[in-house]
């Protein structure tokens, strides 16, 4: 598959940002967010009743209107401390992808999917766009819309909020009741001096050559059986039947323990519904806490691991969160573990995007047939719902020698399909 750029332009907000909103302060969690883009790719079937030009015009006009609601995304980050909401706009490009989209979806390969992105998700200078979009038109009439949002302003939930709002504007839905998109989190997560904070978890170009990112799918029927098996373990019986995410996280973590020297996992926990009062669901920013889960005894009892995960996530409540961020202890904790020389080798990270409404993103020509990402961390997994909302797709990144072992772990072989067709 070849992807040829047809044109590029900058999309500016349809209305100027008011003067009193020009300076958007970054919270502590924004400041320490990994310096990369969050990429989302949404695939749509052919709809002959709507021409490419009609789709293009609708996407550009609605993106301009959406940027008035998400105005920091049309600005530029300054001094890694705030966003100048100067309405410079978002990067927008359209491309022609040769061939039939079904060929890509029958055998999804990461290098091919990455061609659909507006730019390299791992590289950005401080004066470049916070938001980039690439609309890819296939010969068959199918379409892939790629969205890249700079992590300093958005987490996975923020990306879902942006995509669903943009789609609502494009399809003509009322947006007058949309509230809380831009929410000041600096009172909850006060900014701190973060000079010298190093993100060793980020893969460098050289390190990526020795790493592999692969897709494993736990479909509904296998996941039902897996949840029953993990839930019937002999330890931590109080856990009961683990959730879908707890189950898949436990199984992947156990397989990682067996195939690597890693015994610690970091799990991103969305805080929007855990704070009192809850934050608006659409609120953008980095509003998550990284729960730490350590296994010193290399236990491969999956019920035990699921219990450890359940406990680690369970303590992330309003009083706990406010205390550790007000006292500044969390920054010292993160700085200490991230800057250890062997941090990359000793930690495996999880980020679950399950229940984020990516499959509801309808611009007016139907919902996506597949949603995926190309987000890479040194050792980690991104979890996304399958289209039916009942299974889980896991994009797992490991060093090549460890990935070979990981794929042979019995629980992975028995309950997960390696890169199955989207159809």
């Amino acid at each position: 598959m070849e992807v040829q750029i047809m044109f590029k332009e900058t999309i500016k907000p349809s209305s100027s940002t008011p003067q009193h909103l020009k300076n958007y302060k970054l919270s502590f969690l924004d400041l320490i967010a990994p310096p990369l883009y969050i990429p989302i790719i949404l695939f749509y079937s052919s709809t002959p009743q709507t021409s490419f030009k009609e789709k293009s015009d609708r996407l550009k006009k609605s993106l301009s209107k959406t940027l008035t609601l998400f105005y920091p995304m049309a600005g530029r980050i300054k001094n890694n401390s705030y966003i100048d909401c100067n309405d410079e706009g978002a990067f927008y490009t359209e491309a022609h992808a040769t061939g039939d989209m079904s060929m890509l979806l029958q055998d999804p390969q990461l290098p091919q999917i990455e061609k659909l992105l507006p730019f390299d998700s791992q590289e950005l200078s401080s004066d470049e766009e916070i938001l980039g979009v690439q609309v890819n038109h296939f010969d068959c009439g199918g379409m892939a819309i790629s969205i890249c949002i700079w992590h300093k302003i958005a987490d996975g939930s923020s990306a879902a909020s942006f995509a669903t709002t943009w789609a609502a504007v494009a399809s003509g839905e009322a947006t007058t009741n949309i509230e809380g998109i831009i929410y000041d989190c600096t009172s909850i997560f006060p900014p701190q001096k973060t000079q010298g904070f190093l993100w060793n978890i980020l893969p460098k170009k050289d390190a990526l050559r020795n790493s592999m990112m692969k897709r494993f799918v736990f479909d509904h029927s296998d996941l039902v059986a897996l949840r029953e098996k993990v839930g019937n373990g002999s330890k931590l019986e109080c856990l009961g039947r683990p959730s879908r995410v707890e189950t898949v996280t436990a199984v992947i973590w156990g397989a990682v323990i067996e195939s690597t020297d890693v015994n610690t996992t970091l799990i991103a926990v969305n805080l929007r519904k855990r704070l009192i009062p809850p934050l608006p669901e659409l609120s953008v920013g980095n509003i998550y806490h990284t729960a730490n889960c350590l296994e010193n005894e290399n236990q491969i009892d999956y019920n035990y691991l699921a219990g450890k995960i359940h406990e680690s996530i369970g303590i992330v409540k309003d009083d706990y969160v406010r205390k550790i961020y007000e006292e500044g202890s969390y920054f010292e904790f993160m700085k200490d573990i991230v800057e250890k020389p062997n941090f990359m080798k000793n930690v495996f990270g999880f980020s679950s995007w399950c229940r984020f409404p990516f499959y509801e993103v309808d611009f007016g020509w139907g919902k996506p047939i597949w949603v995926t990402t190309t987000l890479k961390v040194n050792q980690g997994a991104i979890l996304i719902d399958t289209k039916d909302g009942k299974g889980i797709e896991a994009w797992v990144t490991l060093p090549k020698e460890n990935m070979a072992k990981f794929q042979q772990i019995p629980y992975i072989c028995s309950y997960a399909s390696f890169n199955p067709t989207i159809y």
Side-chain angles (χ1 to χ4, degrees):
M1 179 186 73
E2 296 299 324
V3 177
Q4 182 178 6
I5 301 300
M6 298 161 61
F7 67 86
K8 302 177 182 179
E9 65 179 284
T10 298
I11 304 293
K12 296 180 180 292
S14 58
S15 300
S16 299
T17 301
Q19 191 62 38
H20 70 283
L21 298 177
K22 290 288 188 181
N23 189 322
Y24 177 85
K25 295 181 180 179
L26 298 176
S27 74
F28 166 67
L29 291 180
D30 295 327
L31 294 173
I32 67 166
L36 44 69
Y37 283 102
I38 296 178
I40 306 293
I41 306 99
L42 305 103
F43 292 83
Y44 295 88
S45 296
S46 172
T47 51
Q49 66 273 22
T50 308
S51 69
F52 286 160
K53 185 180 186 307
E54 289 175 307
K55 291 178 180 179
S56 175
D57 290 343
R58 182 184 299 184
L59 287 171
K60 288 189 288 185
K61 289 177 181 178
S62 57
L63 177 57
S64 179
K65 293 178 181 179
T66 305
L67 287 174
T68 64
L69 300 171
F70 292 80
Y71 56 87
M73 294 187 184
R76 299 294 183 268
I77 292 179
K78 302 296 182 181
N79 303 321
N80 195 40
S81 60
Y82 72 98
I83 296 177
D84 180 7
C85 303
N86 53 20
D87 299 329
E88 286 195 25
F91 178 76
Y92 180 91
T93 183
E94 291 200 17
H96 170 233
T98 60
D100 194 312
M101 190 173 71
S102 64
M103 299 298 292
L104 175 62
L105 299 185
Q106 285 173 3
D107 182 26
Q109 296 296 322
L110 190 62
Q112 298 295 315
I113 298 171
E114 289 178 322
K115 293 180 181 180
L116 304 174
L117 297 176
F119 31 55
D120 189 334
S121 62
Q122 300 290 325
E123 294 182 354
L124 178 96
S125 62
S126 60
D127 60 347
E128 291 184 9
E129 293 87 351
I130 291 174
L131 171 67
V133 171
Q134 182 164 313
V135 179
N136 302 275
H137 300 286
F138 287 81
D139 289 335
C140 62
M143 173 187 288
I145 299 177
S146 300
I147 302 170
C148 287
I149 306 177
W150 189 230
H151 207 333
K152 295 288 182 183
I153 183 61
D155 54 13
S157 179
S158 303
S161 296
F162 174 80
T164 53
T165 303
W166 180 18
V169 174
S171 58
E173 294 181 22
T175 57
T176 54
N177 294 326
I178 292 178
E179 297 180 355
I181 289 176
I182 309 302
Y183 187 91
D184 186 359
C185 289
T186 56
S187 61
I188 306 172
F189 314 113
Q192 300 179 40
K193 293 182 179 180
T194 57
Q195 288 86 347
F197 183 81
L198 302 176
W199 261 108
N200 291 335
I201 192 173
L202 292 178
K204 304 300 186 293
K205 294 291 184 180
D206 292 341
L208 283 176
R209 295 192 185 98
N210 190 45
S211 295
M212 300 187 75
M213 185 178 182
K214 291 194 173 185
R215 170 175 166 262
F216 299 86
V217 178
F218 298 81
D219 66 24
H220 175 53
S221 59
D222 285 336
L223 194 46
V224 168
L226 188 56
R227 288 178 68 187
E228 289 296 333
K229 191 161 187 175
V230 171
N232 288 330
S234 59
K235 298 181 180 180
L236 294 177
E237 298 292 350
C238 60
L239 171 65
R241 191 169 185 241
S243 69
R244 290 185 309 138
V245 171
E246 288 172 342
T247 300
V248 172
T249 302
V251 167
I252 292 177
W253 186 21
V256 168
I257 292 173
E258 288 195 71
S259 57
T260 71
D261 295 327
V262 173
N263 62 359
T264 300
T265 186
L266 299 178
I267 304 170
V269 182
N270 188 355
L271 296 176
R272 288 165 177 80
K273 294 182 179 180
R274 292 175 176 265
L275 297 175
I276 302 174
L279 299 189
E281 186 175 354
L282 291 176
S283 52
V284 300
N286 290 281
I287 312 175
Y288 67 92
H289 174 73
T290 304
N292 179 39
C293 207
L294 174 65
E295 176 46 58
N296 287 319
E297 300 177 4
N298 288 339
Q299 291 274 1
I300 314 299
D301 183 310
Y302 289 96
N303 178 265
Y304 176 78
L305 295 178
K308 295 275 287 187
I309 293 164
H310 183 79
E311 290 178 343
S312 296
I313 295 175
I315 65 173
V316 183
K317 299 178 180 178
D318 183 81
D319 53 348
Y320 170 84
V321 170
R322 293 181 186 275
K323 181 179 180 181
I324 64 172
Y325 287 104
E326 287 173 0
E327 295 179 352
S329 58
Y330 183 70
F331 174 59
E332 294 303 320
F333 164 74
M334 285 297 293
K335 190 171 186 294
D336 178 59
I337 64 169
V338 168
E339 295 182 355
K340 288 181 178 179
N342 293 320
F343 173 71
M344 291 187 293
K345 296 180 179 180
N346 296 331
V347 172
F348 190 89
F350 284 94
S351 181
S352 172
W353 297 357
C354 294
R355 297 190 181 278
F356 292 166
F358 288 116
Y359 279 100
E360 300 301 314
V361 180
D362 183 352
F363 291 94
W365 46 77
K367 297 179 181 180
I369 58 176
W370 188 42
V371 177
T372 192
T373 185
T374 60
L375 181 58
K376 296 176 183 176
V377 292
N378 227 18
Q379 294 184 144
I382 308 293
L383 309 183
I384 308 176
D385 287 321
T386 52
K387 187 180 179 181
D388 62 8
K390 298 178 181 180
I392 290 179
E393 295 195 4
W395 280 98
V396 180
T397 304
L398 284 170
K400 292 178 182 178
E401 62 272 19
N402 298 121
M403 181 63 80
K405 298 176 183 177
F406 176 88
Q407 291 182 249
Q408 301 304 316
I409 301 301
Y411 266 64
I412 299 298
C413 293
S414 301
Y415 295 99
S417 301
F418 170 59
N419 202 35
T421 175
I422 304 305
Y423 299 107

